[in-house]
Every structure is written in C-alpha cells, then in structure tokens.
Amino acid sequence: MSQHDPADRASSPAGGQTLRADGAFPSTLRADGATLVRDGVPHRMLSGSVHYFRVHPDLWEDRLLRLRAMGLNTVDTYVPWNWHEAARGTFDFTGWRDVERFVRLAGDLGLDVVVRPGPYICAEWDNGGLPAWLTATPGIRLRCSDEAYLAAVAAWFDELLPRIAALQANRGGPVVAVQVENEYGSFGDDHAYMAWVHDALVERGIDELLFTADGPTDLMLDGGSLPGVLAAATFGSRPGQALDKLTARRGEQPFVCAEFWNGWFDHWGDPHHVRGADSAAADVRDLLDLGGSVSLYMAHGGTNFGLTAGANHDGTRLQPTVTSYDSDAAVAEDGSVTPKFFALRKVLSEHAAHGTRIPEDAQDDRWIAPSPKLAARALPPVSTRPLLPALRASGAAVVRSSPLTFEELGQNAGLVLHTATPVLPPGDSTLSVLGLHDRATVYVDGREVGVLERETSHRGLTVHGEGVPVRLEILVENLGRINYGPRLGEHKGILGDVLVERRIVHGWTSRSLPLDLLPVDGLWAAGEPDAHSVPRDAVGPQGVLARTTLDLDEPADTFLTLPGWTKGFVWVNDVLLGRYWERGPQHTLYVPAPLLRAGSNTVTVLELHAVGSDLELTDEAVLGEPEEYVEEL
C-alpha cells in the first residue's frame, strides 16, 4: 500500500524509529477505532493473495506487477512450514523457498505485504502446511496446547520469524501485518493456544499489526478471536452480514476481509468451480462501500507443483485437490488477465478516487500483456518401459511382517510398493485392504488385477489362485494429505491389514518411492524389463514409464495434455509438474517457460494404467466443465 517511493522505503533506517516503552517499534498499520490507519493517515488495504510457493520464482515479479495493474496496494502470502522444514531440523530458504526475496520484491514494486505464517495455513496445501514428520509423532495433538506440538512450533518460529520481523515496515521493509494462526475457529477452541501463538509472534519481534481471521459466525469467532487483537473475517458473499456480526461481537474496529473468495479451487472428480466476474465485483463493491478493506483470495492462484496439493474430506469421501490452483482468479494460472480482472479493477478504481492510496503507476496496461505461448503441437511418439521393474529397482525397501505406512517409512508423499508371496487358494478369492489411505493398484505375478480406493477397499476385489505362492504387489498412492478439519494429520498408506478372504497376509517388503525426491533419470534408467515383467502385448492395463522430447528455439509458456492417458505424474526435464487424472475436471498441466530451455527438453510420464495416443501441447488451459460456485458460510 505504498504512498511512498520504493527507494524511500528501502532507505528508511530502523534506527530512526522511536521505540515504544516495551522496546518494540511503533506499528505502521494500526486500528484507530473503526478506522485502519497507516503512518497516522486513514488507509484502506486493497490486497490480493499470491503464494510464492505456487509461482515459479522467475515469474514472481510478473505476477506482482499484474496485481498492481489491477489497482491493489498490498499482497498477502501464507508461509507453509513443510515447504521450508521438510525434514526435522533442516531448514531451506533458498531459491523457490526464498520468502524473504519475495517479500522484498513486493516492497520494491511499491506493495505492502501481509504475512500469514500459521503455523497451520490450510490453503488446499498438503497437510495444511504442517510437516509430515510432525504429524507422524506418536500421540501428538495438533493446533492446541500439546507440549510436543508447541515445542516444534517454537523451533520453527525461531527460524522463520526473525526473517519476517526484519522486513517489517517499521524497520524499512514492506510487511505491515501478520496473521495469528489461521481460521482457528473452524478447528478448535483452545484459547490458551491462540494466546501462545500471539505471544510467540510478539516475543520474536513481530510488532506490526496482528490480526486473526475467521468466518463471520458465532461458532468460528468463539474459537478463533482474541481479546485486543483485530478480528478479520473470511467470506465470499454478504459482506453486510459479516460486518453486522463483527460489530455485534467486537464493537468498533476496522472492517477487514482477510479472504474474499472471488473464486474457488477444484477436487479431482468434481466440477470446475467458477464465479462470475459481475458476482465477485458486486460483492467487493458492497464491501468497500461499507468502508472495508479486502484481500482477494486468490488474486493469482498459481499451481500445486509436484505433490504439494492437499485434500479435503466431506465426512464420506476423500476429496483430493487438483494440480492447478487457478481458482478462477482475476489473474489466471499462466498470468493471463481475465474478465474478472477488469471487473474488479473498475471497482477498485472507483474507490481509489475516494481517497484510497495505490501505487502511482497502478492500473498500467504495460503490466498485463499476455505471455508468449508455444504453438499447439503433438510431441514425438513416446518411448515406453514397463513400470513395475522401475519401481522394484528404485527407492529403499524395508522388510516387516505387515506393510509399513508412509509415516513408518519416513515418507511424506508419492508411492509405496508393497510385495508379499502368499498362497492363493484354487479358484477365486477376495483380496481386501483395511484402512487404505488412499488408492492402490493390485498386481498378481506382474499383472494388474484391479484398483482399490479408500472408501471401498475393505470390500476388496477378486483374485484367482492355483493353490501356489504368487507375487502379490500393492502399489499405494498418497493422493494428498488432508488440509482442513478434524482429520488434519491423518496418516497415509495401508493402516490396517491385507486379507485373502479372512486370512491376514504377512511377510511384506515395503519400498519407499517419494516421487518428488527420486531423480527422474534414475527412475527411467531402472525401467528395463526383468524376469517378472509382463509382455508389452499383455491384455489389460499395464503401467509404464514414457518419454519424449520437446525441441525449442525459445522457451515459452505452454499447457501439456495427455489424451487417452489414465492417471499418473509428469516431469518436464527434472521438475515434477504434478498429477494428471482422466477423472478430471483438469485436463491440461501448466508448464511455465522457466522450466523449459532452448534446445532439447525431456518429458517423462509415469502412467499407472493405460497409455494414450500421444502427448500434446496447447496454448490454453482446459480445466473442465465450469460450474458456478459462491461459497456461503
């Protein structure tokens, strides 16, 4: 929200500030009754969410400039704990994980920054941002005053928060506000825990504006708000009702919508959610007419690259989130501006004329030119290798009496291949899996005999035996860790037993296959046939590794589509793009230009079932049949 020149901000010395009596710096942004004040002047925050972890770092500047061009003066971002501490005690703030660089860049472009460090973020991100090693801790209780949990959060905050504190506006940086936890009232009511998180932020140097964010309902505000801390709201409609609820409960305070849901995310197997531009703009106009500040969630959604997409659970079924996080945002996944962009820009410009400060060159169309796209084409025919030999020769294996879970293997995401050699009785038997999280392909002597899914795996599938031992292989896929609700932190893999009829199968080799960590070239090299391979002309589904090349004079954005392919994963060069699934709604994978290079590029596919005709590039996203959706609390 810069009324300052970026150079002025960068040169503003922290030593020039007068410390408060408690030793903290005075906050740049604060609440004065019902007014939000910045540097002593009434101010309106016009913000949009962009997650640095969902955008290639070479494109951060492009996406932030597009926010400026929409008329926003602030950007907000979550900080996912598991993105920076995937292994306990090992922290990474380099490259794609350089949150400080992202924050400084936003400030250099004249934007204020709101940081949402959790420790839980939800965000349709795997495990809600909590590390898998944390949620694997025996007996741990999450998001409450559990001592083991608080100790882990404290160690994480010790590493993260000094980095954010040094970038606060009262020290010359762009950070004007920091969120306390995240929509906690949707989860629990441990007020001592919320107070602990608040104090943990303050003790580590956060002295700009602190706020909580919850849905504007009694249930959520009961659990998530803190006395003396600004209570922001999250909603997608009816801003007047939200203001009434906040005023009735909190009295006079600034009206801040920390997330205005102008679009929505998608699950595999469900429709593609969209929200009309006029609908979103009308509610934003109402919100601003009420004197509110707003953050658009999302202003630019980006992509769940690799295996970072989370999942929800509706009480009946798992709902894994798709690879795209386009979210029908004003700035699309590839940076294109949409009709929603222009509808929202019009509303924002109307309120800018009423005194809201925005960067001087905001709404400049220089920043919204479409990015170059590769021409649509079919890629050269793929070379294929059988999948099972590659998986059998990759990763690390552990032998136990029962199949090991992902947690027992110390694995966050990807696949686990379980192998045993039971005797199958003559004739047909039912093979079932108890506690499958989430999906499994079953092989007998190298042939796929069926697929089991979480909700129905206990019913099993039919296998045929001859009264002799067989090579039974169960390839289990983690479809994404639950990121919201009481099932947060659920474990993955086979959590119970594998049964042939009523008999438990023992004697398993569990092979860890974390696809986001395995070198794809090594996986490909391991994909040669072995004595247990099925012939290529075998009848029925057959998983494969497939490869082709993409030769380019100049890299540019593109979208990859896999017509006729069933389910699997795609790498471009050595980067795992993410999942594809014929189930939809998403049918293309965004390939940003920085992942490509001039000359030869390699595209590798791990297909779990049936290979399609070829791989194709297209110049536009195909995210599925749209369904209008407006989230209402």
Side-chain angles (χ1 to χ4, degrees):
M1 359 175 157
S2 175
Q3 71 267 29
H4 306 296
D5 184 272
D8 293 339
R9 168 185 280 152
S11 63
S12 175
Q17 295 276 3
T18 301
L19 296 180
R20 299 195 313 238
D22 59 5
F25 290 96
S27 59
T28 305
L29 187 68
R30 62 183 179 84
D32 183 2
T35 303
L36 202 59
V37 171
R38 192 191 191 286
D39 284 335
V41 179
H43 179 75
R44 190 196 301 267
M45 181 172 65
L46 302 177
S47 179
S49 291
V50 176
H51 299 154
Y52 63 97
F53 45 92
R54 283 180 160 127
V55 180
H56 192 284
D58 291 356
L59 299 175
W60 286 347
E61 181 172 2
D62 175 87
R63 302 312 194 247
L64 291 170
L65 285 171
R66 291 171 192 269
L67 261 65
R68 284 187 52 140
M70 189 161 50
L72 299 176
N73 55 29
T74 308
V75 61
D76 82 62
T77 185
Y78 283 122
V79 181
W81 183 357
N82 57 7
W83 186 238
H84 297 278
E85 193 186 0
R88 185 193 293 265
T90 301
F91 299 95
D92 187 353
F93 288 91
T94 64
W96 207 319
R97 293 166 171 79
D98 193 346
V99 60
E100 295 159 280
R101 179 186 160 227
F102 178 81
V103 170
R104 286 193 298 267
L105 177 60
D108 290 344
L109 297 176
L111 295 167
D112 277 347
V113 178
V114 174
V115 177
R116 308 172 76 186
Y120 160 82
I121 67 168
C122 186
E124 293 70 58
W125 186 257
D126 190 64
N127 225 25
L130 300 180
W133 57 259
L134 175 73
T135 56
T137 305
I140 198 167
R141 298 293 184 265
L142 307 175
R143 303 182 72 193
C144 67
S145 298
D146 178 85
E147 290 185 4
Y149 177 71
L150 295 183
V153 175
W156 161 235
F157 276 3
D158 285 344
E159 186 68 28
L160 170 67
L161 293 179
R163 300 170 186 272
I164 303 304
L167 293 170
Q168 292 176 106
N170 54 18
R171 290 159 173 78
V175 176
V176 296
V178 175
Q179 182 174 301
V180 182
E181 238 275 359
N182 183 57
E183 294 185 311
Y184 184 70
S186 301
F187 179 83
D189 62 1
D190 188 338
H191 301 295
Y193 164 65
M194 281 294 289
W196 183 93
V197 174
H198 172 275
D199 293 348
L201 296 171
V202 173
E203 290 163 3
R204 289 162 179 81
I206 302 300
D207 42 31
E208 286 287 4
L209 179 69
L210 291 171
F211 67 98
T212 60
D214 290 284
T217 71
D218 289 322
L219 177 76
M220 297 177 186
L221 291 169
D222 283 344
S225 58
L226 280 170
V229 177
L230 175 66
T234 60
F235 55 85
S237 61
R238 303 193 296 265
Q241 290 186 27
L243 176 58
D244 290 345
K245 177 61 67 177
L246 288 169
T247 301
R249 292 185 58 104
R250 302 286 298 193
E252 191 177 61
Q253 64 162 30
F255 180 32
V256 177
C257 177
E259 291 184 16
F260 175 76
W261 304 320
N262 63 115
W264 205 246
F265 57 91
D266 294 337
H267 295 129
W268 291 112
D270 289 347
H272 170 46
H273 296 122
V274 300
R275 180 173 184 181
D278 291 343
S279 166
D283 275 337
V284 171
R285 176 179 283 108
D286 289 347
L287 193 162
L288 297 178
D289 285 345
L290 292 167
S293 289
V294 66
S295 186
L296 305 173
Y297 193 95
M298 299 291 296
H300 168 63
T303 308
N304 295 313
F305 291 106
L307 304 176
T308 59
N312 288 290
H313 198 286
D314 67 1
T316 302
R317 63 188 178 101
L318 186 76
Q319 299 171 295
T321 301
V322 302
T323 300
S324 172
Y325 201 64
D326 178 88
S327 300
D328 194 37
V331 179
E333 185 176 14
D334 66 342
S336 301
V337 297
T338 67
K340 189 176 292 181
F341 174 97
F342 293 103
L344 290 169
R345 181 160 82 165
K346 182 176 185 295
V347 171
L348 295 169
S349 66
E350 292 170 358
H351 286 80
H354 298 159
T356 301
R357 290 184 297 276
I358 60 174
E360 292 180 4
D361 61 348
Q363 301 191 347
D364 190 324
D365 284 352
R366 289 179 299 168
W367 311 129
I368 62 173
S371 62
K373 299 290 190 299
L374 297 180
R377 70 185 80 172
L379 298 185
V382 298
S383 300
T384 63
R385 294 179 176 181
L387 177 61
L388 274 178
L391 300 183
R392 292 168 183 156
S394 302
V398 181
V399 179
R400 293 289 187 274
S401 61
S402 298
L404 297 180
T405 66
F406 278 62
E407 285 68 26
E408 290 167 328
L409 289 165
Q411 181 179 340
N412 174 32
L415 306 171
V416 173
L417 179 63
H418 302 285
T419 305
T421 55
V423 173
L424 294 185
D428 290 343
S429 301
T430 298
L431 177 90
S432 58
V433 177
L434 306 182
L436 174 63
H437 289 186
D438 298 309
R439 186 179 189 272
T441 307
V442 180
Y443 306 86
V444 174
D445 290 334
R447 294 178 183 270
E448 180 181 327
V449 296
V451 173
L452 296 172
E453 300 208 359
R454 176 176 171 135
E455 291 77 22
T456 57
S457 65
H458 61 286
R459 299 176 191 164
L461 52 80
T462 300
V463 292
H464 185 80
E466 301 290 345
V468 297
V470 299
R471 180 171 180 147
L472 172 64
E473 293 170 288
I474 303 178
L475 182 62
V476 176
E477 180 183 357
N478 167 359
L479 290 173
R481 293 179 182 271
I482 291 173
N483 56 257
Y484 178 81
R487 294 175 183 263
L488 179 70
E490 274 192 348
H491 292 189
K492 293 293 186 177
I494 297 177
L495 277 58
D497 291 313
V498 178
L499 306 179
V500 174
E501 297 294 338
R502 70 187 66 184
R503 190 187 74 211
I504 299 173
V505 178
H506 289 105
W508 290 91
T509 298
S510 298
R511 186 170 295 276
S512 176
L513 299 164
L515 299 182
D516 51 339
L517 301 179
L518 293 178
V520 66
D521 287 344
L523 192 63
W524 175 254
E528 290 296 337
D530 67 8
H532 298 282
S533 296
V534 176
R536 290 173 185 257
D537 60 354
V539 176
Q542 181 187 1
V544 301
L545 292 172
R547 255 195 176 176
T548 187
T549 57
L550 170 60
D551 294 324
L552 297 174
D553 294 328
E554 186 72 26
D557 284 358
T558 189
F559 296 90
L560 178 69
T561 183
L562 299 92
W565 298 66
T566 307
K567 188 182 194 303
F569 309 85
V570 177
W571 289 257
V572 171
N573 295 318
D574 59 353
V575 175
L576 178 56
L577 282 185
R579 294 180 176 88
Y580 65 91
W581 199 349
E582 66 175 358
R583 182 173 292 184
Q586 178 180 354
H587 293 291
T588 56
L589 290 171
Y590 172 53
V591 184
L595 296 184
L596 300 168
R597 55 184 174 241
S600 181
N601 296 267
T602 302
V603 180
T604 307
V605 181
L606 189 162
E607 165 59 53
L608 291 168
H609 304 295
V611 177
S613 55
D614 54 20
L615 304 178
E616 299 176 0
L617 301 183
T618 181
D619 58 2
E620 61 182 5
V622 181
L623 298 179
E625 189 68 26
E627 178 180 271
E628 181 79 9
Y629 183 82
V630 178
E631 178 69 4
E632 297 180 350
L633 293 174

